[in-house]
Amino acid sequence: MSKIFDSRDPEYKSPFGAAACGAAVRFAVRPGTENVTGVSLLLRREFGGTEQALPLSPSGDGRWQVVYTAPAEPDLVWYAFQFTYSDRVRPYGPHGFDDSSRWQLTVYDDSRPSPAWFGRGVTYQIFPDRFCRLSVPNTAGMVGDRVVHQSWDDTPVWRPDENGIVRNNDFFGGSLAGITSQLDYLQSMGVGTLYLCPIFESDSNHRYDTADYRRIDPMLGTEADFRALCAQARQRGMRVILDGVFNHTGNNSRYFNAQGFYPELGAAQSRESPYYSWYSFHPWPDDYDAWWGIKNLPAVNELEKSYVDYIIEGDNSIIKRWLRAGASGWRLDVADELPDEFIVKIRAAMNEEKIVIGEVWEDGTTKIAYSQRRKYLLGRETNGLMNYPFRTALMAYLLGGGAEYFRDSMEELRENYPAPAFYGAMNFLSTHDTPRLLTILGLTSPAPQTRDERAVYQLSDSDLARGMSLLKLAALILYTFPGSPMLYYGDEAGMQGFEDPFNRGTYPWGRENAELVQYFQQLGALRKSHEALQSGTIVYHAAQGRALAFSRRSEHDHCLTAVNAGDEPVTLTLPWDGTLAEDALSHQEFFCGNGLLRLTLEPYGTMLVTQPQE
């Protein structure tokens, strides 16, 4: 029995997924009955606010079809069908007849292309204080009350002080020069982009409470150190992306200056401060809007003209200044709390070789924040997003769920996202905001309940072995999936840890897990050498239970990823071009007959099938 409609099948909808503004989109249905007297395509524009019904015409082969011209302006178009019979009318939606829900057609502006370099390569996220230090820093004259660990191997401070406050004022002294000193190592990992957590002056170790956007935190170094890092990275084919925290500042900042550290008047000191209009007081000076009510993070009025000029549009704005100094783009912290117009202004201030990545934890085309449907991916805002849906779906699969959920979740994303955003997503499995991947995958018993226990917890030998097997499997999917695979510093070295700050330990130089490091170097090299992995299309061949297989294909290259996340062997029969195939991980060769490849995957087994090298 033929389908009535399938939004992902080109026989029923073409082109696949999102459409550019003004593009022709063909829809077709197969009613499957002769007593249908009419079919209409029902369309509702989310932002345009209009509704229309287009009649479909019978095509003589059992189908009814129509060509719809996408709106001239970016939009979300919600569509369904309506079937007319001699005695009734029935709507048809994603769940069948009499369904009131609708499919989604994302319409985006394709006039400003995204830079191709980002999605092709590997991104490496660095928490700057914890990656590499060259010497123990002296904190004299620095903003805030800083405490420096003398030992690089200490556990980060996590207990509240005598007033019950976790101050995040313990530092290890990682620096920009330290990062520069490890560029050869990063190059050996196949890294193409360095994503640095905030580097601007701040009195906390995480630096998400900016004190001065114009100044590198002195513990990290100087502007000259930053320029040297960017220049030396570029010589190795790497670019640097900065973390832009523009929704709030620190209260101990040049702009708010609650503690009076800076010589000029801040908003907390005087209504005559040039920064007073950046903040919302009610009343001044003690009550003000703050990020999630945290008073040391006063929220800014992002669209206040002087703030827009300072951050984005002025000749020496923060966005432009640090791009001129060598940065290749910005990752926008808490993008769902930034006005769409603010993000549009940032994109407009940058040339097409620079990139804007947003932190959004859901599907970026359907996200609603503060009761507003957001516009992150309609071609004028971010180039791409941190792909939390990828992490959510893949972790569910790795931790016992079916591969079907991962496939279906990712196909929904591929259908909803404009192709540049899907292929320009920042995919990851760990970040500074999540537990370490190895810890989560290795646990076979409930996590320790107290922070005292979690602070010192290490996996048992058996759990570590299981965790490493699953981590390798996860990494293979990550590195062979569309988008930029992002590696959180130290995951490749076997770092463990639960929530913040246990996921923000220091990189274990000299104590790395050599097996994992070598594996990630192999994955980085494979990503770099295969065009199919960088930009190829994706097709799923198996997604059932614990088995997952998908292929990536470009004009002259073909790669097939096959994994078994279960503890029993799995045999798969998969399509393959040619008579020979090779597992690029183990270099084992296989014979293929009749265009089919039969593979047996051991428990937690992985293969990356490629054409044998001549």
Side-chain angles (χ1 to χ4, degrees):
M1 181 177 176
S2 62
K3 296 178 285 189
I4 295 175
F5 178 74
D6 184 345
S7 66
R8 297 173 189 169
D9 186 335
E11 182 180 340
Y12 297 89
K13 175 181 172 291
S14 179
F16 176 90
C21 291
V25 184
R26 185 183 62 83
F27 293 92
V29 295
R30 290 184 181 273
T33 177
E34 295 180 0
N35 62 354
V36 171
T37 60
V39 182
S40 295
L41 174 65
L42 307 179
L43 302 141
R44 183 180 71 247
R45 290 178 57 183
E46 175 84 23
F47 303 115
T50 59
E51 295 209 29
Q52 68 181 120
L54 291 180
L56 280 70
S57 301
S59 60
D61 59 356
R63 292 186 299 173
W64 294 62
Q65 61 185 21
V66 68
V67 175
Y68 168 62
T69 301
E73 284 294 308
D75 215 324
L76 293 183
V77 178
W78 303 99
Y79 68 94
F81 299 94
Q82 181 172 278
F83 289 78
T84 301
Y85 305 85
S86 58
D87 58 346
R88 57 181 170 154
V89 172
R90 298 182 72 186
Y92 182 83
H95 304 292
F97 281 106
D98 304 315
D99 174 29
S100 61
S101 61
R102 299 195 178 196
W103 289 274
Q104 174 184 334
L105 172 65
T106 305
V107 179
Y108 68 101
D109 181 352
D110 68 344
S111 65
R112 190 164 188 208
S114 288
W117 55 264
F118 179 73
R120 289 176 170 270
V122 177
T123 298
Y124 192 87
Q125 182 190 3
I126 294 177
F127 194 82
D129 184 59
R130 311 287 162 84
F131 182 62
C132 180
R133 85 174 174 193
L134 302 181
S135 61
V136 179
N138 181 348
T139 63
M142 296 184 188
V143 63
D145 180 20
R146 308 189 188 205
V147 177
V148 178
H149 293 267
Q150 298 302 300
S151 172
W152 184 248
D153 300 328
D154 285 352
T155 299
V157 173
W158 57 270
R159 290 188 177 90
D161 65 11
E162 63 276 7
N163 297 315
I165 300 173
V166 178
R167 297 198 177 274
N168 294 305
N169 66 338
D170 66 309
F171 291 79
F172 284 83
S175 65
L176 298 180
I179 298 171
T180 303
S181 74
Q182 298 298 336
L183 286 177
D184 287 345
Y185 164 71
L186 295 170
Q187 187 176 19
S188 79
M189 302 294 298
V191 171
T193 305
L194 301 180
Y195 155 42
L196 308 182
C197 289
I199 62 172
F200 303 123
E201 185 165 65
S202 166
D203 63 0
S204 71
N205 51 46
H206 56 72
R207 300 186 175 94
Y208 281 94
D209 49 351
T210 312
D212 190 344
Y213 292 105
R214 297 175 297 183
R215 190 179 186 215
I216 303 292
D217 191 275
M219 191 174 284
L220 290 176
T222 64
E223 183 171 333
D225 292 325
F226 176 73
R227 289 176 177 270
L229 169 61
C230 293
Q232 293 194 35
R234 186 59 72 98
Q235 290 174 7
R236 294 169 173 82
M238 289 184 259
R239 292 172 169 85
V240 176
I241 291 179
L242 295 177
D243 213 330
V245 187
F246 301 133
N247 166 263
H248 51 268
T249 68
N251 69 343
N252 190 18
S253 66
R254 178 177 298 279
Y255 318 105
F256 203 77
N257 212 13
Q259 299 177 33
F261 177 82
Y262 292 92
E264 60 189 306
L265 291 176
Q269 298 168 300
S270 172
R271 298 185 188 191
E272 302 303 314
S273 166
Y275 311 116
Y276 176 77
S277 61
W278 291 12
Y279 304 93
S280 294
F281 292 94
H282 38 84
W284 179 86
D286 298 321
D287 193 12
Y288 47 88
D289 290 347
W291 184 72
W292 287 61
I294 301 171
K295 287 302 184 180
N296 67 339
L297 299 175
V300 299
N301 302 313
E302 293 98 340
L303 295 180
E304 202 282 323
K305 186 178 186 308
S306 66
Y307 186 71
V308 170
D309 287 345
Y310 186 88
I311 297 294
I312 307 172
E313 294 184 342
D315 291 340
N316 198 33
S317 70
I318 300 304
I319 293 291
K320 297 173 184 175
R321 171 194 176 115
W322 294 108
L323 293 177
R324 285 196 294 264
S328 291
W330 292 88
R331 175 264 192 188
L332 302 181
D333 184 56
V334 293
D336 55 350
E337 307 208 23
L338 297 172
D340 291 339
E341 184 181 346
F342 187 82
I343 299 175
V344 169
K345 289 177 181 293
I346 290 177
R347 177 84 177 268
M350 299 167 53
N351 69 44
E352 292 178 4
E353 273 301 298
K354 310 298 183 184
I355 197 160
V356 182
I357 299 291
E359 180 196 13
V360 175
W361 288 51
E362 301 86 7
D363 180 328
T365 62
T366 56
K367 167 84 175 183
I368 295 176
Y370 299 97
S371 303
Q372 295 291 321
R373 181 82 70 181
R374 301 302 302 272
K375 301 178 181 178
Y376 300 115
L377 297 175
L378 299 185
R380 300 172 185 173
E381 308 82 17
T382 65
N383 298 96
L385 302 176
M386 295 186 71
N387 201 347
Y388 275 93
F390 172 86
R391 178 184 186 272
T392 299
L394 186 51
M395 292 299 285
Y397 165 55
L398 296 171
L399 296 175
E404 300 94 331
Y405 174 71
F406 174 77
R407 176 201 61 201
D408 293 346
S409 297
M410 293 300 96
E411 283 295 89
E412 181 179 357
L413 213 63
R414 186 168 73 96
E415 185 175 15
N416 289 351
Y417 278 27
F422 186 75
Y423 283 86
M426 182 186 277
N427 303 332
F428 58 88
L429 290 165
S430 297
T431 75
H432 64 294
D433 288 327
T434 69
R436 288 276 177 181
L437 181 61
L438 183 56
T439 297
I440 296 302
L441 295 181
L443 280 175
T444 55
S445 55
Q449 293 301 299
T450 70
R451 283 172 68 80
D452 279 302
E453 293 173 304
R454 294 200 295 275
V456 297
Y457 185 86
Q458 293 287 302
L459 296 171
S460 67
D461 288 347
S462 60
D463 282 1
L464 178 61
R466 177 180 182 273
M468 282 181 57
S469 295
L470 279 171
L471 186 151
K472 288 181 176 181
L473 188 153
L476 177 62
I477 297 172
L478 176 68
Y479 272 62
T480 58
F481 201 78
S484 177
M486 190 189 84
L487 179 60
Y488 183 44
Y489 82 100
D491 273 359
E492 81 279 16
M495 287 180 68
Q496 301 181 37
F498 288 100
E499 76 281 5
D500 168 24
F502 312 126
N503 57 356
R504 302 177 182 183
T506 53
Y507 187 99
W509 297 109
R511 296 179 290 106
E512 304 94 330
N513 183 312
E515 180 184 341
L516 281 182
V517 170
Q518 184 177 17
Y519 181 72
F520 276 93
Q521 288 173 329
Q522 183 182 22
L523 290 183
L526 288 169
R527 176 87 184 197
K528 199 167 186 177
S529 62
H530 282 280
E531 180 70 23
L533 298 182
Q534 296 175 32
S535 59
T537 57
I538 183 168
V539 174
Y540 294 85
H541 301 295
Q544 186 172 7
R546 311 306 293 141
L548 175 68
F550 58 85
S551 62
R552 301 287 308 281
R553 188 187 293 272
S554 63
E555 186 178 359
H556 302 294
D557 192 20
H558 182 200
C559 297
L560 191 154
T561 298
V563 300
N564 172 19
D567 53 12
E568 297 290 336
V570 169
T571 298
L572 299 173
T573 300
L574 303 168
W576 186 254
D577 302 331
T579 56
L580 287 177
E582 178 183 342
D583 174 19
L585 300 174
S586 67
H587 303 297
Q588 180 181 2
E589 290 196 353
F590 304 92
F591 175 77
C592 311
N594 300 319
L596 296 175
L597 173 63
R598 187 175 174 87
L599 300 175
T600 297
L601 293 162
E602 297 302 319
Y604 310 119
T606 59
M607 289 188 189
L608 178 60
V609 181
T610 62
Q611 299 287 354
Q613 299 297 310
E614 296 180 359

